Amino acid sequence: MNYKYRLLALDMDGTLLQDDHEVSEETVKWIKEAVRQGIHVCLSTGRPFAEAYPYAKQLELTTPMVTVNGGEVWRAPYELYRRALLDSKLVEQMHALAIETGSWFWAYSVDRLYNSENWTDDIAYQEWLKFGYTTKDHEVRHQILMRLQDMGGLEITNSSPINLEINPQGVNKATGIGQVCELLGISMSQVVAVGDSLNDLAVIQQAGLGVAMGNAQQTVKDEADLVVSSNNEDGIVEVIRDHILIEG
């Protein structure tokens, strides 16, 4: 079959995964059918590799993967292609801001996850991929956002309305999927990108077909070419059945 789209880039939480963090049987079936028909399916997630790979394994995916919002691109399972690190001085500033505002925070180093309850005194000598804040206080979150923007050198998104996620400036899922396209020898116009949060926005804007889930944040819906059913209603099935596995 001569399909218009060659790569399906899937966010995980709120997109591929239902609210119980499982992939529905129907979604599994359609993803495997897409792969059988020659479509590349790439997980594109804010999660680190260790938290994403079990799902890739379940779906029998051996194609490239984008993790920590584009901070890492994997050529194949366990085979790193590219990695983008945060400046440790910026991590020190972001940690100080979290303490100052009393916000829950977390950070992924190359080796492990740290958070408010389990931090390190050794910031300068770690390799950092992503920093994040979670607070339900809109004013505090806005204050943090303003301060982060003043720091410079940061790519600021979210994976839910109550958090902020920070990568090095210019690093996002769009740059990650762009690198996957290089590996596969295809163009962004041949990509279908699906997501629900601001960390999906850049790739949804740049893909050949940008898709927002029914449960997506309004900004994402506004920028998408298409809105499908929610993550709990097999929205991914709609994407594959009605928009990918049709002759181009």
Side-chain angles (χ1 to χ4, degrees):
M1 293 285 240
N2 183 25
Y3 295 126
K4 178 179 180 180
Y5 300 112
R6 301 286 311 284
L7 171 66
L8 174 59
L10 291 175
D11 170 52
M12 291 179 60
D13 295 280
T15 300
L16 172 67
L17 306 184
Q18 298 176 317
D19 289 349
D20 62 3
H21 301 295
E22 299 291 331
V23 186
S24 78
E25 287 184 17
E26 190 72 2
T27 296
V28 170
K29 183 183 90 174
W30 278 91
I31 287 175
K32 288 185 175 179
E33 178 60 20
V35 172
R36 191 183 71 77
Q37 296 206 32
I39 305 298
H40 298 286
V41 177
C42 171
L43 299 184
S44 175
T45 179
R47 292 181 179 220
F49 178 83
E51 291 178 24
Y53 180 64
Y55 294 95
K57 194 172 179 183
Q58 176 194 354
L59 296 166
E60 300 173 6
L61 302 179
T62 56
T63 44
M65 182 159 52
V66 174
T67 55
V68 283
N69 290 343
E72 291 181 328
V73 177
W74 301 82
R75 185 189 297 271
Y78 297 103
E79 189 183 338
L80 185 68
Y81 177 57
R82 284 194 189 153
R83 175 180 279 153
L85 298 175
L86 279 164
D87 184 330
S88 60
K89 289 187 176 62
L90 288 172
V91 175
E92 287 175 353
Q93 291 177 47
M94 289 188 282
H95 174 248
L97 179 57
I99 300 301
E100 180 188 329
T101 57
S103 303
W104 175 263
F105 65 91
W106 76 96
Y108 286 113
S109 75
V110 166
D111 300 315
R112 56 174 291 181
L113 168 66
Y114 292 96
N115 61 35
S116 297
E117 294 173 354
N118 177 23
W119 191 238
T120 174
D121 296 324
D122 194 17
I123 296 176
Y125 296 99
Q126 304 257 16
E127 291 184 304
W128 297 99
L129 291 163
K130 185 173 81 165
F131 197 95
Y133 302 84
T134 299
T135 173
K136 291 181 178 177
D137 187 319
H138 176 74
E139 286 304 316
V140 171
R141 200 167 56 252
H142 182 71
Q143 179 190 348
I144 293 170
L145 176 60
M146 294 298 101
R147 295 274 293 277
L148 291 172
Q149 289 175 342
D150 287 342
M151 284 182 201
L154 302 172
E155 188 90 1
I156 308 164
T157 62
N158 74 25
S159 61
S160 94
I162 64 166
N163 77 18
L164 293 167
E165 299 198 350
I166 299 95
N167 288 80
Q169 190 165 33
V171 173
N172 53 53
K173 291 185 181 183
T175 60
I177 292 299
Q179 290 166 14
V180 169
C181 287
E182 290 171 18
L183 286 170
L184 298 175
I186 63 174
S187 70
M188 284 293 274
S189 65
Q190 295 173 291
V191 175
V192 177
V194 193
D196 71 309
S197 297
L198 295 188
N199 63 352
D200 301 303
L201 193 57
V203 71
I204 283 173
Q205 290 169 327
Q206 294 181 39
L209 183 67
V211 183
M213 300 299 286
N215 52 289
Q217 295 174 41
Q218 191 58 47
T219 304
V220 180
K221 289 182 178 179
D222 291 344
E223 291 293 318
D225 301 305
L226 177 72
V227 179
V228 294
S229 297
S230 77
N231 61 317
N232 294 322
E233 300 167 319
D234 289 327
I236 298 301
V237 173
E238 276 179 56
V239 176
I240 297 170
R241 183 189 64 214
D242 301 340
H243 302 280
I244 294 179
L245 296 185
I246 53 173
E247 286 195 66

